[in-house]
């Protein structure tokens, strides 16, 4: 007569189309939960072998059950609960719950003990994206999903602030729904509008006290540096106050850990930012321009104002005489600029011959700009300094645009006795911000 297939994860859910068939005699296979058998007045356990009675209805959760196969081969109607995308996640949650309760290893794990596995799974997933097959990618995504399920199940046991996988899913739905209203409502499908809505609503949610809030300092040093520099660029932080060593990496074979060195430089820069923000907050100032930052970084005294061609004051290094006939090198951008006070070009480098030699020395294949092209020669041949465009960047600024307008003049030292190549800075080279590699 009819076969009704229930969802094993939702045995109490009966398809509407099957309701009229369960008022008469019903046979239930052993895989169906007992509560279903008890809920149906005319239900009995199905025999081991098919009795061939066409007047009975068979209820099961297993499409491969022998009785189900026998009836479907006979041509009986099959009514099944409709499956939806994501239904298998319920099976995964149930499996994780069982392992957490009964597994001797799973029951002992904590958020902290799983840290190493989470990190390993992320790197393995990235490797599968780069060089793996679709099967590799599917497997690694499953391993990463295990970590999400595991941490959520551990959190459900927390005695003070428990949450479970459903809370995690609800958090995802609430966040994304709030930040993409135009897309979800069909109001628009414009990428720039979507990004703007996301960022505006994110900023309103976070109400951050610092431009660095939300940055994970446990990230790898290079990722941490990039994130911090992106935030500083968007906040109008003065470029000369960024340690230029953060914009390039030199690996010293056999020397100190490049990871540790880079991380410490980033943390030191973050400490300066926090201190400046605290000073500005105490003064009731919003840090939005390079001049504001310099004031609260405590280095404004190292800069003096000079009249530009439009009569506006341009902060400039106090190492230069504050006169209109000092031909300091300037940026092409018609925006306020700042000049660092350190590292003036040596006098012998200001001659045409020295400039030409320095240009030839610097013209390498790595795309760096020769120092002779960056710095213009002083008419008096007494002092020359670099100026860097310090216009406050908007939220769409790229690191290449913000940090990459000049480059450090670097030379490659001759191989040492041990055969190691070391990248060094030219003697007495100006403190110019190096070119940043463009993002992928």
């Amino acid at each position: 007569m009819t076969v009704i297939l229930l969802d094993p994860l939702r045995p109490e859910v009966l398809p509407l189309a099957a309701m009229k068939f369960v008022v008469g005699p019903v046979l239930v296979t052993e895989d169906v939960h007992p509560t279903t058998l008890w809920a149906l007045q005319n239900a009995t356990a199905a025999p081991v072998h098919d009795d061939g009675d066409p007047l009975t209805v068979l209820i099961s959760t297993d499409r491969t059950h022998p009785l189900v196969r026998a009836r479907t081969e006979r041509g009986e109607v099959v009514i099944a609960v409709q499956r939806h995308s994501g239904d298998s996640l319920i099976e995964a949650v149930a499996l994780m719950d069982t392992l957490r309760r009964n597994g001797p290893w799973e029951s002992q794990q904590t958020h902290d003990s799983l840290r190493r596995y989470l990190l390993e799974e992320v790197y393995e997933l990235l490797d599968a994206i780069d060089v793996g097959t679709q099967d590799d990618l599917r497997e690694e995504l499953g391993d990463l999903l295990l970590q999400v399920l595991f941490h959520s199940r551990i959190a459900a046991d927390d005695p003070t602030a428990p949450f479970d996988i459903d809370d995690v899913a609800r958090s995802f739905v609430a966040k994304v729904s709030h930040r993409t209203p135009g897309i979800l409502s069909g109001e628009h499908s414009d990428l720039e509008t979507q990004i703007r809505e996301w960022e505006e609503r994110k900023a309103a949610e976070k109400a951050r006290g610092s431009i660095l809030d939300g940055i994970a300092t446990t990230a790898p040093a290079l990722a941490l540096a990039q994130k911090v520099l992106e935030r500083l660029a968007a906040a109008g932080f003065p470029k000369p106050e960024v340690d230029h060593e953060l914009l390039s990496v030199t690996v010293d074979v056999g020397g100190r850990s490049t990871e540790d060195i880079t991380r410490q430089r980033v943390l030191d820069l973050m400490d300066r930012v926090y201190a400046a923000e605290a000073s500005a907050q105490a003064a009731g100032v919003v840090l939005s321009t390079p001049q504001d930052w310099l004031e609260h970084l405590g280095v404004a005294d190292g800069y003096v104002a000079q009249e530009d061609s439009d009569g506006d004051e341009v902060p400039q290094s106090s190492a230069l005489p504050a006169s209109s006939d000092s031909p300091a090198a300037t940026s092409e951008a018609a925006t306020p600029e700042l000049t660092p006070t350190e590292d003036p070009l040596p006098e012998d480098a200001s001659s045409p011959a020295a400039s030409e030699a320095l240009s030839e020395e610097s013209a390498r294949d790595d795309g760096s700009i020769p120092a002779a092209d960056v710095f213009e020669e002083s008419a008096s041949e007494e002092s020359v300094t670099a100026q860097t465009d310090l216009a406050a960047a908007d939220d769409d600024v790229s690191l290449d645009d913000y940090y990459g307008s000049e480059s450090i003049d670097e030379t490659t030292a001759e191989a040492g006795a041990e055969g190691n190549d070391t990248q060094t800075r030219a003697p007495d080279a100006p403190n110019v911000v190096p070119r940043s590699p463009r993002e992928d």
Side-chain angles (χ1 to χ4, degrees):
M1 184 179 180
T2 305
V3 176
I4 300 174
L5 290 176
L6 303 180
D7 186 341
L9 297 174
R10 306 183 186 94
E12 72 284 355
V13 177
L14 185 70
L16 288 175
M19 293 183 62
K20 62 182 179 181
F21 297 102
V22 296
V23 295
V26 174
L27 299 178
V28 180
T29 57
E30 67 277 6
D31 49 275
V32 176
H33 196 276
T35 56
T36 303
L37 184 63
W38 301 334
L40 300 174
Q41 295 180 352
N42 299 319
T44 58
V48 177
H49 301 288
D50 187 9
D51 61 0
D53 184 358
L55 299 179
T56 58
V57 173
L58 180 66
I59 298 180
S60 180
T61 61
D62 184 5
R63 188 179 291 272
T64 64
H65 193 283
L67 296 183
V68 174
R69 287 206 308 265
R71 289 191 174 226
T72 54
E73 290 172 1
R74 200 161 57 216
E76 293 192 16
V77 176
V78 177
I79 302 174
V81 172
Q82 184 178 0
R83 300 278 291 182
H84 298 278
S85 177
D87 279 353
S88 293
L89 290 175
I90 300 175
E91 299 179 45
V93 172
L95 174 61
M96 188 70 255
D97 180 66
T98 301
L99 290 173
R100 176 65 174 174
R101 287 185 286 105
N102 302 330
W105 183 82
E106 288 83 357
S107 61
Q108 296 179 20
Q109 300 311 304
T110 65
H111 293 300
D112 190 63
S113 70
L114 294 178
R115 287 168 61 97
R116 55 166 292 193
Y117 303 107
L118 176 59
L119 189 60
E120 289 172 0
E121 298 302 349
V122 170
Y123 282 124
E124 289 175 7
L125 174 58
L126 293 174
D127 192 58
I129 292 174
D130 289 340
V131 298
T133 64
Q134 285 293 92
D135 289 340
D136 295 331
L137 183 59
R138 183 184 66 248
E139 180 181 352
E140 296 305 334
L141 284 170
D143 291 344
L144 190 59
L145 174 62
L146 168 61
Q147 294 298 312
V148 176
L149 296 173
F150 210 156
H151 281 280
S152 300
R153 182 59 184 84
I154 291 173
D157 293 331
D158 189 280
T160 57
F163 64 84
D164 59 16
I165 189 65
D166 288 319
D167 295 311
V168 173
R170 279 190 287 268
S171 175
F172 161 77
V173 171
K175 175 184 291 186
V176 176
S177 298
H178 181 255
R179 295 184 185 179
T180 56
I183 297 297
L184 296 178
S185 66
E187 180 181 342
H188 69 82
S189 58
D190 178 67
L191 175 61
E192 292 185 1
T193 303
Q194 180 185 12
I195 294 174
R196 186 184 70 252
E197 287 181 345
W198 181 281
E199 294 300 331
E200 289 174 352
R201 289 174 177 253
K202 178 181 177 181
E205 291 169 6
K206 299 298 182 181
R208 287 172 171 161
S210 169
I211 62 171
L212 302 180
D213 283 355
I215 295 180
T217 56
T218 53
L222 290 180
L224 174 61
Q226 183 176 15
K227 192 67 176 178
V228 169
L229 293 178
E230 287 173 346
R231 292 282 184 90
L232 296 186
F237 191 87
K239 285 186 290 186
E241 297 305 315
V242 175
D243 184 354
H244 72 277
E245 297 290 349
L246 282 176
L247 303 179
S248 62
V249 174
T250 300
V251 178
D252 183 9
V253 178
R256 288 181 56 198
S257 166
T258 303
E259 172 82 9
D260 292 343
I261 294 173
T262 303
R263 180 178 301 279
Q264 190 56 56
R265 284 174 175 151
V266 178
L267 295 178
D268 290 344
L269 178 59
M270 293 178 73
D271 286 341
R272 292 192 68 202
V273 172
Y274 288 135
E277 289 176 330
S279 172
Q281 183 178 16
V285 174
V286 176
L287 297 174
S288 58
T289 68
Q291 290 80 2
D292 293 335
W293 280 102
L294 288 172
E295 178 72 25
H296 294 280
L297 283 168
V299 295
D301 291 342
Y303 296 80
V304 295
Q306 180 181 3
E307 295 291 327
D308 65 8
S309 59
D310 297 327
D312 297 328
E313 288 191 352
V314 179
Q316 180 176 318
S317 172
S318 58
L320 287 178
S323 61
S324 59
D325 55 358
S326 294
T330 60
S331 168
E332 294 181 1
T335 52
E337 299 177 347
L338 298 179
T339 302
T341 59
E342 297 84 15
D343 300 320
L345 194 67
E347 289 187 24
D348 57 355
S350 63
S351 66
S355 297
E356 181 178 359
L358 183 57
S359 176
E360 293 177 356
E361 178 70 14
S362 303
R364 303 188 310 277
D365 294 336
D366 61 3
S368 61
I369 301 175
D373 295 338
V374 177
F375 299 98
E376 296 181 359
E377 183 178 278
S378 170
S380 63
E381 297 188 356
E382 293 181 356
S383 65
V384 176
T385 185
Q387 285 189 330
T388 308
D389 179 14
L390 289 173
D394 61 20
D395 289 341
D396 296 328
V397 70
S398 69
L399 288 183
D400 191 59
D401 293 337
Y402 188 75
Y403 295 109
S405 58
E406 300 97 8
S407 65
I408 293 179
D409 177 39
E410 297 172 332
T411 60
T412 302
E414 297 294 333
E418 297 180 359
N420 294 332
D421 291 336
T422 306
Q423 192 178 45
T424 60
R425 189 178 170 199
D428 300 321
N431 182 21
V432 185
V433 179
R435 185 182 307 278
S436 174
R438 186 173 297 278
E439 297 179 359
D440 292 338

